[in-house]
């Protein structure tokens, strides 16, 4: 009896999430499904929409709204007092314009998880489909980047982006018993994560002085990243994981990118999946890759 379970693991990445959105569109077009899914930061929003079969919202979020200068930078600061206008993105763009709802996911009792960092507990915690709220407050908390956005209060928790400690949530997929893991990252294969700069650490320490653990966690962020990469590499050697990474470099960072390059990155995500079509299908079917 084949007890295989396929898990989908999504990294965050801010504007680089356009790659993930394109890759998930390919999965939807090819009717590829999973037994479990987990997402961090923007990957949490894209995961929810993928599970509902919605390609339009991830496209608009990653190409149209991400590149809108009203949402990042000076205009965002004037609007909300932070570098990224997350409240506007979620309330006006996703709920207002896109009419995004998570009711379908709750009704399905979808086997997905999304991660956020709770300042009170001093760690990244995971929520399931039944925790999602109609106002998308929890999803906004999952995306709330430190310093660049406001803390999001959800129930009795104070949330920030789960990527503070968990950039690629591979451990959750393993914990849930998945035997094969398809991992979509927003970083190229040669990406090097450097230690957090002193100025950023000083800002973290000052802004969140009431919650000293977040400073400690942010100071070793690169170590946690390479721990997660190490787990993935071991699983790849055991033929239990397959990682999809951008095959080309497109000038987009977490916060900076124009619509043209966001579109290119979205298209790259779709094309990279299509290029690896046979390998992806064989892997998820439990067959050895050539």
């Amino acid at each position: 009896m084949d007890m295989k379970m396929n898990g989908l693991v999504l990294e965050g990445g801010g504007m680089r999430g356009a790659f993930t959105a394109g890759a998930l569109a390919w999965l939807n077009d090819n009717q590829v499904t999973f037994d479990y899914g987990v997402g961090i930061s923007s990957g949490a929003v894209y995961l929810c929409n993928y599970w509902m079969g919605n390609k339009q919202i991830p496209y608009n979020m990653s190409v149209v709204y991400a590149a809108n200068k009203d949402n990042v930078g000076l205009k965002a600061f004037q609007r909300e007092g932070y570098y990224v206008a997350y409240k506007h993105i979620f309330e006006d763009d996703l709920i207002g314009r896109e009419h995004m709802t998570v009711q379908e996911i709750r009704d399905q009792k979808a086997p997905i998880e999304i991660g956020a960092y709770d300042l009170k507990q001093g760690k990244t915690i995971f929520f399931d489909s039944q925790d999602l709220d109609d106002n998308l407050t929890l999803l906004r908390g999952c995306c709330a980047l430190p310093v660049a956005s406001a803390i999001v209060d959800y129930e009795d928790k104070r949330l920030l982006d789960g990527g503070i400690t968990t950039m690629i949530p591979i451990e959750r997929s393993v914990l849930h018993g998945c035997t094969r893991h398809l991992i979509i990252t927003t970083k190229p294969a040669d990406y090097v994560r450097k230690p957090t700069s002193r100025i950023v650490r000083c800002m973290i320490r000052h802004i969140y002085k009431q919650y000293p653990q977040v400073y400690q966690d942010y100071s070793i962020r690169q170590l946690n990243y390479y721990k997660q990469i190490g787990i993935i590499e071991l699983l790849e050697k055991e033929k239990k994981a397959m990682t999809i990474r951008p095959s080309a470099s497109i000038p987009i960072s977490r916060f900076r990118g124009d619509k043209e390059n966001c579109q290119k990155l979205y298209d790259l995500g779709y094309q990279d999946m299509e290029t690896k079509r046979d390998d992806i299908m064989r892997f998820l079917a439990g067959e050895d890759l050539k």
Side-chain angles (χ1 to χ4, degrees), residues 212-224:
Q213 185 59 44
V214 70
Y215 170 80
Q216 299 298 327
D217 289 334
Y218 219 85
S219 297
I220 60 169
R221 194 162 178 252
Q222 81 282 3
L223 301 181
N224 284 324

Side-chain angles (χ1 to χ4, degrees), residues 4 9 14 31 65 87 167 175 187 207 212 278 280 287:
K4 75 179 181 70
V9 180
Q31 299 180 321
Y65 304 136
K87 192 172 183 181
M167 286 130 278
L175 180 65
K187 314 292 193 302
I207 294 171
D278 292 343
I280 293 170
E287 301 173 11

Side-chain angles (χ1 to χ4, degrees), residues 8 25 30 54 66-67 74 103 105 109 127 135 150 153 170 179 196 198 202 207 210 218 233-234 254 262 265 289:
L8 175 64
N30 288 275
N54 190 314
L74 179 60
Q103 185 62 49
I105 296 177
K109 296 184 178 179
F127 303 85
N135 295 322
D153 291 306
I170 182 61
T179 53
T196 304
R198 183 176 179 180
C202 287
I207 294 171
Q210 185 180 350
Y218 219 85
E233 289 176 345
L234 178 60
R254 179 177 291 272
C262 286
L265 190 56
L289 301 182

Side-chain angles (χ1 to χ4, degrees), residues 248-259:
S249 179
I250 295 175
I252 289 180
S253 67
R254 179 177 291 272
F255 295 122
R256 295 183 181 277
D258 56 31
K259 186 174 181 179

Side-chain angles (χ1 to χ4, degrees), residues 16-30 46 50 55 58-59 62-63 184 244 262-274:
R16 291 189 295 259
F19 179 83
T20 301
L24 294 179
W26 185 91
L27 289 174
N28 277 140
D29 283 348
N30 288 275
Y46 297 141
Y50 158 75
K55 297 187 299 179
Y59 174 81
S62 62
V63 176
I184 300 176
I244 307 297
C262 286
Q263 179 71 60
K264 289 180 180 178
L265 190 56
Y266 179 94
D267 293 340
L268 181 67
Y270 196 101
Q271 186 57 52
D272 281 353
M273 296 291 281
E274 179 62 26

